[in-house]
């Protein structure tokens, strides 16, 4: 006769019960796996929350001359537009950063908060709105919060869609990066260069060499190493793809 009872300790199926046994145990699972914090659909929510705060900070800067989440040099571009009515420089600089990070984020797996949100959402988009005569989102707190959240949600969804169509597409042969996470930008981003090189070298030798060469080129140009390391790794990965699992 088959014993269909279940052991008392931890609900482990009794011997010869025929029930499937869980393999691996607790240590084989990623902490939080399957929860909201690691869910793909939660990423646009996080980006929306960050963008809402950053856009509202720009509202405070526009109304009270304080509160913007940017370096002084970047904020001065928006300030110059507020004084002379010409927002072209701030709009081009901020929007260029935003577009580049939306393309870069899905490929390398890191969304640069400084370039995409602080500069793009905090300076570029407000400059475009002000240049076009739409001042209400920057004048009213109650409007700045939802507008910023909407912009962040659109950015987050765009990154997920691009990632699904490229590195996570069916039959994809290369990963190019990990799941999308948020990384430090602006001044803090310069210290990520060596970590990017190490991560690239761990992935594969050709990608590591490409990352190193890119970092050296950017060092020669007196530019941040992080950008060169990422671009070098992506170019090397194009010719020497890392097989997906």
């Amino acid at each position: 006769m088959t014993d269909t009872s279940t052991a008392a300790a931890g609900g482990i199926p009794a011997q010869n019960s025929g029930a499937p046994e869980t393999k691996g145990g607790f240590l084989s699972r990623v902490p939080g796996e399957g929860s909201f914090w690691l869910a793909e659909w939660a990423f646009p929510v996080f980006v929306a929350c960050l963008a809402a705060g950053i856009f509202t900070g720009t509202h405070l800067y526009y109304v009270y001359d304080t509160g913007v989440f940017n370096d002084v040099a970047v904020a001065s571009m928006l300030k110059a537009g507020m004084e002379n009515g010409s927002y072209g420089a701030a709009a081009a600089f901020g929007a260029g950063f935003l577009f580049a990070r939306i393309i870069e984020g899905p490929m390398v797996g890191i969304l640069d908060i400084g370039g995409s949100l602080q500069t793009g959402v905090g300076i570029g988009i407000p400059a475009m709105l002000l240049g076009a005569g739409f001042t209400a989102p920057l004048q009213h707190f109650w409007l700045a919060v939802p507008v910023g959240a909407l912009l962040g949600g659109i950015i987050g969804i765009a990154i997920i869609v691009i990632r699904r169509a490229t590195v996570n597409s069916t039959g994809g042969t290369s990963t190019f990066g990990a799941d999308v996470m948020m990384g430090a930008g602006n001044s803090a981003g310069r210290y990520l260069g060596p970590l990017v090189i190490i991560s690239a070298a761990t992935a594969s030798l050709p990608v590591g060499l490409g990352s190193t060469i890119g970092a050296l080129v950017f060092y020669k140009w007196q530019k941040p190493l992080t950008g060169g390391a990422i671009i070098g790794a992506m170019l090397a990965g194009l010719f020497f793809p890392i097989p997906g699992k």
Side-chain angles (χ1 to χ4, degrees), residues 10-239:
I12 302 175
Q15 187 175 6
N16 299 327
S17 65
E21 297 184 9
T22 303
K23 296 182 180 180
F26 173 77
L27 295 179
S28 65
R29 299 194 301 271
V30 177
E33 185 176 9
S35 68
F36 165 79
W37 302 104
L38 295 182
E40 184 181 69
W41 62 268
F43 178 75
V45 177
F46 296 145
V47 180
C49 292
L50 280 171
I54 292 171
F55 192 87
T56 305
T58 306
H59 147 74
L60 295 175
Y61 185 73
Y62 182 75
V63 176
Y64 303 106
D65 202 29
T66 185
V68 69
F69 292 93
N70 284 95
D71 294 340
V72 175
V74 179
S76 64
M77 300 175 67
L78 182 63
K79 182 66 173 180
M82 292 165 53
E83 293 175 348
N84 58 34
S86 178
Y87 295 96
F93 182 80
F97 259 96
L98 177 61
F99 179 76
R101 293 303 184 259
I102 291 178
I103 299 299
E104 175 192 62
M107 302 301 176
V108 303
I110 299 177
L111 174 63
D112 178 17
I113 296 175
S116 62
L117 303 184
Q118 290 179 233
T119 303
V121 176
I123 298 297
I125 294 179
M128 289 190 291
L129 291 175
L130 293 173
F134 297 101
T135 60
L138 278 306
Q139 287 179 331
H140 305 288
F141 177 86
W142 62 269
L143 191 56
V145 175
V147 168
L150 177 62
L151 294 172
I154 293 174
I155 292 171
I157 293 173
I159 290 175
I160 294 299
V161 170
I162 294 173
R163 189 163 184 79
R164 283 188 176 184
T166 55
V167 297
N168 283 351
S169 61
T170 303
T173 58
S174 182
T175 58
F176 291 92
D179 292 335
V180 180
M181 60 181 180
M182 298 188 183
N186 291 346
S187 297
R190 69 187 65 180
Y191 302 106
L192 296 178
L195 297 179
V196 173
I197 296 174
I198 294 173
S199 299
T202 303
S204 75
L205 180 59
V207 173
L209 289 175
S211 180
T212 303
I213 294 173
L216 289 173
V217 172
F218 270 51
Y219 177 79
K220 182 68 175 178
W221 290 345
Q222 297 182 350
K223 301 295 183 180
L225 297 181
T226 308
I230 292 174
I231 294 175
M234 292 178 64
L235 291 176
L238 179 64
F239 296 99

